[in-house]
Amino acid sequence: MASHTSFALFALLFLLSSGNSSAQLSTDYYYKSCPNLFPSIRTVVQSAIAAEKRIGASLLRLFFHDCFVQGCDGSLLLDDTANFTGEKNATPNKNSVRGFDVVDKIKAAVEKACPGVVSCADVLAITARDSVVILGGPTWRVKLGRRDSRTASFSGANNNIPPPTSSLSNLISKFAAQGLSTSEMVALAGGHTIGQARCTNFRNRIYNESNIDAGFALQRRAGCPRSSGDNNLAPLDLQTPTAFDNNYYRNLLSLKGLLHSDQALYNNGSTDAQVRSYANNPSVFESDFVAAMIKMGDINPLTGSNGEIRKNCRKVN
């Protein structure tokens, strides 16, 4: 009888764990199968950021845009073909997401270290962490063991990734759809402490919105005319656009958020207190950011026999 009870308990635990595939992810997943994984990736990321500091933000953003469509499965990296439409040309990604060439170099280095072992989805997760650390941010142990999708979702990219025009309620609902809380959304928004945005994404804010510092709006208009210069860039964080810190939140308190969706976090709404907390306590922001990044990495990973380990991140095997 005892053995039957033990088996039933084991079966129940197995079902519970298999229902949440993120439970199969592990920080030491490649400990034996690819012992040189982390230095192989970090070397390429360091080199890329040394050549262009902005690329660190772009690599972090790739992970976010991947995880919000079908989960963290490397689907964003797939190129279009004659009979396959990927995610790269969806509205939130076209002429916007970048760094695919760096991912190619990282994957080549990883394949040299341990051929056919590490997924592109896991490469994105580690690369995002390394980019944050190299730019002065916190570190964390990345959960690994994801496999790569053989499909992508153009419509998912268009529908799931919140646009820069998002209201607070829209941001909350888009993150909630991925199982992320409002407080986790505010923490992850801190990724905008690095990187740049295109004029087309903030033009309406600097010319037409009232909850913006007048001097800041004037400064941004100099590089973003009313009817031209769509691809002109401006830093998301006015003070330190290539350093991972809490200045992003301090700017919001001064009404110097570049995107409408940035300032929506501090606009007499439910997230104002959290923004103030992060502006005043960088260590609180960093710990919350780390926890939220780890949770985002748990969104619907492919594990076990699902998906594949792509040899080339741009195409299925």
Side-chain angles (χ1 to χ4, degrees):
M1 182 70 182
S3 63
H4 285 299
T5 304
S6 299
F7 177 78
L9 182 60
F10 172 80
L12 177 62
L13 289 171
F14 175 78
L15 285 171
L16 288 171
S17 65
S18 61
N20 177 12
S21 56
S22 66
Q24 298 174 36
L25 301 182
S26 161
T27 56
D28 59 1
Y29 187 83
Y30 297 109
Y31 180 73
K32 290 183 178 178
S33 61
C34 192
N36 292 320
L37 172 61
F38 295 117
S40 296
I41 291 179
R42 189 176 179 88
T43 299
V44 181
V45 178
Q46 280 180 317
S47 176
I49 291 177
E52 185 208 9
K53 284 207 167 175
R54 180 189 169 209
I55 200 68
S58 300
L59 295 171
L60 172 61
R61 190 162 175 253
L62 283 179
F63 186 51
F64 166 56
H65 280 227
D66 183 46
C67 289
F68 266 53
V69 185
Q70 300 187 164
C72 309
D73 62 355
S75 60
L76 173 61
L77 303 175
L78 291 169
D79 283 344
D80 289 358
T81 67
N83 43 19
F84 174 85
T85 302
E87 298 166 16
K88 290 181 177 178
N89 287 309
T91 300
N93 296 329
K94 189 174 184 179
N95 300 320
S96 179
V97 290
R98 57 196 293 276
F100 298 111
D101 54 335
V102 178
V103 174
D104 292 339
K105 291 175 184 174
I106 295 168
K107 178 62 171 170
V110 170
E111 284 296 300
K112 188 175 180 181
C114 44
V117 172
V118 181
S119 68
C120 299
D122 278 347
V123 163
L124 283 183
I126 299 168
T127 298
R129 187 273 309 275
D130 286 357
S131 296
V132 169
V133 173
I134 290 166
L135 292 175
T139 191
W140 62 95
R141 297 189 71 197
V142 181
K143 291 165 70 173
L144 302 166
R146 304 169 189 83
R147 288 167 65 83
D148 295 321
S149 173
R150 296 186 180 95
T151 65
S153 178
F154 182 84
S155 62
N158 279 326
N159 294 328
N160 298 358
I161 299 168
T165 53
S166 293
S167 64
L168 179 59
S169 61
N170 188 50
L171 289 169
I172 290 171
S173 66
K174 293 290 187 187
F175 277 73
Q178 303 299 331
L180 295 165
S181 69
T182 298
S183 61
E184 287 163 342
M185 178 271 291
V186 177
L188 288 169
H192 281 186
T193 188
I194 51 176
Q196 313 237 0
R198 293 184 301 146
C199 165
T200 187
N201 288 325
F202 61 83
R203 178 184 285 117
N204 185 67
R205 170 153 169 73
I206 62 174
Y207 285 102
N208 299 320
E209 295 186 6
S210 58
N211 63 338
I212 186 169
D213 176 85
F216 173 69
L218 199 62
Q219 182 182 4
R220 290 282 72 95
R221 287 174 189 171
C224 182
R226 283 186 181 273
S227 56
S228 64
D230 281 4
N231 292 320
N232 293 354
L233 298 171
L236 287 159
D237 171 356
L238 187 63
Q239 284 84 14
T240 51
T242 59
F244 196 97
D245 54 30
N246 70 328
N247 277 334
Y248 167 78
Y249 299 101
R250 299 173 72 181
N251 290 333
L252 298 184
L253 299 188
S254 304
L255 302 184
K256 295 176 182 176
L258 184 64
L259 304 177
H260 179 88
S261 57
D262 290 326
Q263 198 60 57
L265 302 180
Y266 190 79
N267 191 37
N268 299 313
S270 61
T271 55
D272 282 14
Q274 189 177 350
V275 170
R276 280 194 297 270
S277 172
Y278 289 166
N280 295 321
N281 302 284
S283 61
V284 174
F285 159 55
E286 289 194 352
S287 63
D288 285 359
F289 179 82
V290 164
M293 283 294 291
I294 292 169
K295 186 172 177 182
M296 186 175 75
D298 284 344
I299 300 174
N300 297 328
L302 297 172
T303 57
S305 59
N306 296 314
E308 65 181 16
I309 305 298
R310 275 186 233 141
K311 296 181 181 71
N312 180 339
C313 291
R314 293 177 178 268
K315 60 183 182 180
V316 298
N317 292 340

